[in-house]
Amino acid sequence: MNEQTRKGYTGLPLELFHQRVEMIRAQIAERGLDALFAFSDEYRPGSTLYLSDYYPINVIEESPQGVYVPVDGDVVLFLGAINAKTAEGITWIEDIRPVDELDAFFREQNGLKGRKLKVGLVGEALLPVKYYRRLRSALADSDFVYADDLLNKMRGTKHPAEIALMEKAAHLGDAGIIAALERLKEGEISEIELAATAEHVVRMGGAELGSATILSSGINTHKPTWRATDKMIALGDPVLIDVNPFYRGYCSDVSITIFREDESFRISDLQRSLLDFSCQTLRGVVDSMEAGQPAHVIYDYFLEKSRGAGYESYFTLYAKGMRAVGHGVGVNVVEWPNLDADSSFLLEPGMTLAVKFDLHGFDFGGTRFEIDVVVEDQGCRALNQILDAEF
């Protein structure tokens, strides 16, 4: 299929997908594998969207997606029956097959090879048991070789065209949050209604939601994550908004915290200084990040600033383990790599990271400020502009 006849979900150039496939072929050949099989679903489309340029429509059992990349030969796309029809003319992959025929396809490939295949698997956490059971008997040693690291590394650094899509997603996230802040100034509103305000702007901007909007207020901000409820937001409540637009296959992850105020009620100087401190700390870490540094410099910077301001115990409450001070962002809202105190990988040009600064455990609840950052040859650049907004 040529560039003129396909639509493509992302709009990225066809040549970019061909380059990805050739990189995979070279790496699986080095590992002594016959092929790579990537699996995902519509909630975490990640690796398959990255390869196929198609994003399955959620019609429950019709939403799995698999991409088969052999060392040589045609790439094959597996989809549910309904999505298989929709994908025609969108994906660049011409060989589209029903996902329920996976086992028959693998047996067919065994016959062509004259032996069972040795296949690298991407998406172990997403592959349903029913498909795994069908495939095991068709594979060498009755199993896959797990290969998530292969695509994680490829997806970890972005092409300029990918970064442009992420920047659009970031700006939509900013706009959604700003709309929510403006609505909050108008008076009492529930968490779920305020979340809808932000989501409306994201949708009207041409994006979908990469994950659930986190919007918590008051006591609910004690938790690091929260599903918006019908709780009314009271004067003096902290309001944590975390919006995740998904624009043409690429995500943003942006968050701020404010307090609900009006002319009759103003927050304390301590609370005001906390918000200012959080914004300045997040700006500061972006300014300090450079290619070639170990990634734990992000955690180290936050810890140093929190300790100096007397907030260390509020910072360290959730600053260990997964997503502690951020994570990779791209085709998925949350993807490799993880950012915490033990992140030893080096920052590389083209990496896109959601960097977040959480403080939790105050009497009123907690706060979060998060923006997306791209690592460049000369320093780092924020994709979001929310920290420069008036709120």
Side-chain angles (χ1 to χ4, degrees), residues 191-302:
E191 291 177 347
I192 194 70
E193 289 172 314
L194 198 59
T197 301
E199 291 175 1
H200 175 75
V201 171
V202 168
R203 278 290 198 176
M204 290 297 291
E208 301 181 57
L209 299 178
S211 65
T213 300
I214 297 171
L215 199 146
S216 57
S217 66
I219 191 97
N220 294 340
T221 63
H222 278 292
K223 306 290 186 181
T225 189
W226 190 257
R227 187 181 301 278
T229 70
D230 59 1
K231 173 188 176 300
M232 302 303 293
I233 300 172
L235 279 172
D237 273 353
V239 182
L240 191 160
I241 309 174
D242 192 320
V243 181
N244 312 125
F246 179 69
Y247 180 74
R248 285 169 51 182
Y250 285 83
C251 299
S252 174
D253 191 358
V254 55
S255 179
I256 69 163
T257 306
I258 59 165
F259 289 81
R260 185 181 163 221
E261 301 178 274
D262 66 10
E263 294 180 355
S264 68
F265 179 87
R266 296 298 179 192
I267 60 175
S268 68
D269 291 341
L270 182 63
Q271 290 171 326
R272 181 76 61 197
S273 67
L274 172 64
L275 298 185
D276 291 342
F277 167 75
S278 295
C279 285
Q280 292 304 319
T281 300
L282 191 51
R283 285 193 184 99
V285 80
V286 175
D287 292 340
S288 72
M289 292 166 59
E290 295 181 357
Q293 292 177 319
H296 62 71
V297 297
I298 299 168
Y299 175 92
D300 296 342
Y301 184 96
F302 285 158

Side-chain angles (χ1 to χ4, degrees), residues 150-212:
L150 190 157
L151 274 192
N152 282 344
K153 183 65 175 175
M154 285 179 58
R155 289 168 51 192
T157 55
K158 309 297 192 297
H159 185 277
E162 295 176 279
I163 294 171
L165 294 179
M166 292 186 64
E167 193 153 19
K168 173 67 174 180
H171 292 170
L172 287 173
D174 294 343
I177 287 178
I178 289 170
L181 300 184
E182 291 301 317
R183 173 59 186 85
L184 192 62
K185 292 176 184 177
E186 297 175 7
E188 195 174 55
I189 188 172
S190 69
E191 291 177 347
I192 194 70
E193 289 172 314
L194 198 59
T197 301
E199 291 175 1
H200 175 75
V201 171
V202 168
R203 278 290 198 176
M204 290 297 291
E208 301 181 57
L209 299 178
S211 65

